[in-house]
Amino acid sequence: MKIDKNTINKIARLSRIKLDDKESEDYIKDLNSILDWVEQLNEVNTENVEPLSNISSSILPKREDVSNDTNSSEEILENAPDKLEGFFAVPKVVE
Amino acid sequence: MSKSSLKQTLKDLDTKKISIRELNQDYLKRIKENENLNVFIHFSEENVLKQIDNLEKDNSAKKLKGIPIAIKDLFCTKSMPTTAASKILENFNPTYESFVTQKLLDEGSIFVGKTNLDEFAMGSATNTSFFGNTINPLSKENEPLAPGGSSGGSAAAVAADLCLGATGTDTGGSIRQPASFCGVVGIKPTYGLCSRWGIAAFASSLDQAGIFSHNVEDASILLQSIAGFDQRDSTSAKVDIPNYFENLDDDLNGKTVGIPKEYSIDGTPMEISQIWEDAIKVLEKKGVKIKNISLPHTKYALPTYYIIAPAEASSNLARYDGVKYGFRSDEIDSLDEMYENTRAQGFGREVKRRILIGTYVLSAGYYDAYYLKAQKVRKLIADDFNKAFKECDFIVTPTAPSAAFPLNEKQNDPIKMYLNDVFTVPASLAGLPGISIPFGKDKNNLPLGIQILGKHFDEQQVFNAAVSLERSYE
């Protein structure tokens, strides 16, 4: 079993998702079955194969290096759950 | 019910046989009559009437003036909320317009509403939405069927004739599979053809916008409208967009179609193999050369996809943290508590599953074994297609391994659900354009789909083959 209780807690922590015990158990089962299933990729010989990260066959054009100031802070803050004096507001992080 | 085509409607509007108001009131009436299908996450009659008022005051000529279009609720729209079918974006009102929807607005189309989808486009049945299932309009009474997914609401909107076209997005089959399930046309163009600016991101190396429509001609008109370069999406391609509709040519004489032997999969229903054979026979009669091809890494496409897509999703969905927009949990004793509770309460089960698996395959010690390995296999899958396209002009396969299945049937076993994408995922990994068109029925009279794949940026060939098959089937 690749994923045990410790591993799922570690991943959940990295993902910033709180899991209750029932959920942890379900995800341990799900993730192990998915990881067993993807294991079949080990059958494929990938020696000297370059990993493919961008599939596009077109040449990605460069844009001109000019700055532009859209000054949209009000718009950006419009959907914030909490804001204060032009900033996003979050719970206190320093004592 | 006879459905008008976009092409015919444009003519009728042009010759004043019908007004923009009459046309859209017809659609509004049907939308209200079909509320039980749960096609829309957001629908406001008032909003549609306002758009009609504005267009009536506008004297300029526009290509899609007055045409009712449904928008998948993954595209940011200024005039309507955008939720990605997630609780975490329940109250999100974008302050900007996506590239694709802006193009449609510039051409004068009317947005009838925002359609339902699987949460963040993760699913194959539109059953992971925070806003409930969409019901396939082809369902019989008391036997609700899934519309496919993730763009199930858009496919259902076209199938129930609630619009003349709809936008969708396709990461591993999210346009083609629901098109097949709902008996409509759905095209996913080449990766990079349409800018993804303003579309909530799922897996950025795969996501692409596309179109649902009643027929191939309409799809060719609409795809041209949403395609194009945009510097705000760094993967958007600077290529000339042909007039697909004007260039449509159903004469396939002398062309070669590739038939991949690896798409004959054990357990595929007879009816699906049968329509595939039928399509090949039709093409042969039209003077198309049939070429048996091999795409040897096909069986590894699904496991490759289910490493790459969740990995990219775990990164893309990190932005939903309860700070900048959307839902924030009430339990916020500390900053970390706020993140963890917001994401625990804001995301649904399938989305969390994919974030967790994605985080695992990217984590220290596992990156090479999973993510890097998957990227290498992806290269081999793309190379398979490159080799195959040296011998053929387009490829024909079934779209999905089944017709529409009953709602909720495949919910418990994730791998079984993932198998829905078996015929659509390989082309997504290779970035190729693909269309699904209705072709034949199963024993319960439900539509089945044929998929046509083309070379990068050869949407014209895909449309030509599709229109040719469609015309011979009608």
Side-chain angles (χ1 to χ4, degrees), chain B residues 62-281:
Chain B
K62 289 185 164 128
K63 203 178 128 192
L64 299 174
K65 198 167 182 178
I67 296 298
I69 302 281
I71 306 295
K72 185 179 186 180
D73 203 18
L74 202 63
F75 291 81
C76 287
T77 46
K78 263 183 171 171
S79 62
M80 290 179 277
T82 300
T83 68
S86 181
K87 181 181 175 181
I88 215 158
L89 283 177
E90 198 181 359
N91 305 309
F92 180 55
N93 289 295
T95 53
Y96 59 94
E97 191 73 31
S98 82
F99 175 87
V100 163
T101 49
Q102 187 61 53
K103 295 265 276 187
L104 290 168
L105 288 174
D106 290 346
E107 296 199 341
S109 58
I110 287 183
F111 292 169
V112 292
K114 301 293 289 286
T115 59
N116 200 8
L117 64 148
D118 283 299
E119 186 180 0
F120 283 104
M122 297 178 192
S124 304
T126 313
N127 60 3
T128 69
S129 167
F130 177 64
F131 302 94
N133 293 306
T134 290
I135 295 168
N136 189 323
L138 307 173
S139 306
K140 291 193 189 79
E141 222 173 320
N142 302 325
E143 285 174 61
L145 299 170
S150 68
S151 315
S154 285
V158 172
D161 204 16
L162 311 182
C163 57
L164 280 165
T167 67
T169 62
D170 190 314
T171 304
S174 280
I175 289 176
R176 290 160 286 162
Q177 185 254 20
S180 176
F181 277 25
C182 292
V184 300
V185 169
I187 180 159
K188 176 203 95 81
T190 310
Y191 180 76
L193 188 82
C194 306
S195 165
R196 295 172 300 147
W197 195 80
I199 302 174
F202 162 15
S204 301
S205 78
L206 295 154
D207 294 344
Q208 182 52 215
I211 288 294
F212 292 94
S213 62
H214 292 303
N215 57 55
V216 176
E217 284 184 343
D218 291 359
S220 73
I221 295 169
L222 289 170
L223 184 66
Q224 197 200 349
S225 294
I226 65 163
F229 171 70
D230 171 22
Q231 72 170 19
R232 295 166 303 180
D233 173 1
S234 64
T235 61
S236 156
K238 216 168 196 169
V239 292
D240 291 329
I241 311 297
N243 189 325
Y244 302 122
F245 174 70
E246 293 278 320
N247 297 342
L248 273 183
D249 180 3
D250 63 7
D251 180 8
L252 300 176
N253 201 8
K255 297 285 180 192
T256 303
V257 61
I259 309 298
K261 64 171 189 230
E262 290 81 5
Y263 283 57
S264 297
I265 294 171
D266 285 347
T268 304
M270 258 290 290
E271 295 150 319
I272 305 248
S273 312
Q274 189 60 51
I275 60 144
W276 193 17
E277 269 174 43
D278 292 346
I280 297 166
K281 274 186 209 139

Side-chain angles (χ1 to χ4, degrees), chain A residues 2-3 7 11-18 23 26-27 30-31 33-35 37-38 40-41 43-46 49-55 57-58 60-61 63 75 78-82 88-91 93, chain B residues 91-93 95 191 229 231 234 237 299-300 302-304 306-307 322-326 328 335-341 343-344 349 352-353 356-357 359-360 370 373 375-376 379-380 415 429-431 456-457:
Chain A
K2 296 173 188 69
I3 308 269
T7 323
I11 308 168
R13 172 84 189 119
L14 285 171
S15 313
R16 296 292 186 277
I17 295 175
K18 185 170 277 179
E23 277 181 303
D26 287 352
Y27 285 127
D30 286 357
L31 264 58
S33 89
I34 294 169
L35 290 171
W37 174 65
V38 302
Q40 51 179 306
L41 294 188
E43 297 165 16
V44 187
N45 180 359
T46 51
V49 177
E50 278 292 305
L52 191 158
S53 56
N54 182 8
I55 193 63
S57 58
S58 75
L60 302 179
R63 63 166 175 79
E75 274 187 28
E78 213 163 280
N79 279 287
D82 193 9
F88 294 114
V90 296
V93 285
Chain B
N91 305 309
F92 180 55
N93 289 295
T95 53
Y191 180 76
F229 171 70
Q231 72 170 19
S234 64
K299 72 176 268 213
Y300 301 110
L302 274 178
T304 300
Y306 279 98
I307 292 173
V323 175
K324 301 179 288 294
Y325 32 67
R328 176 187 287 190
L335 187 61
D336 271 339
E337 280 267 297
M338 186 195 82
Y339 293 146
E340 292 188 351
N341 287 320
R343 289 163 66 79
R349 186 186 156 92
K352 284 190 227 174
R353 179 153 60 206
L356 292 170
I357 198 117
T359 304
Y360 180 74
Y370 291 105
K373 179 77 183 181
Q375 284 189 315
K376 288 178 178 178
K379 175 80 169 79
L380 296 173
I415 293 170
L429 290 168
H456 279 192
F457 301 109

Side-chain angles (χ1 to χ4, degrees), chain B residues 15 124 139 165 199 242 284 291 418-419 427:
Chain B
T15 55
S124 304
S139 306
I199 302 174
E284 200 165 19
K291 174 94 194 162
Y418 297 167
L419 290 176

Side-chain angles (χ1 to χ4, degrees), chain B residues 438-458:
Chain B
F439 199 87
K441 300 263 170 88
D442 78 349
K443 58 181 182 301
N444 299 317
N445 209 31
L446 289 171
L448 298 169
I450 281 288
Q451 173 179 241
I452 300 159
L453 305 173
K455 299 170 192 172
H456 279 192
F457 301 109
D458 199 5

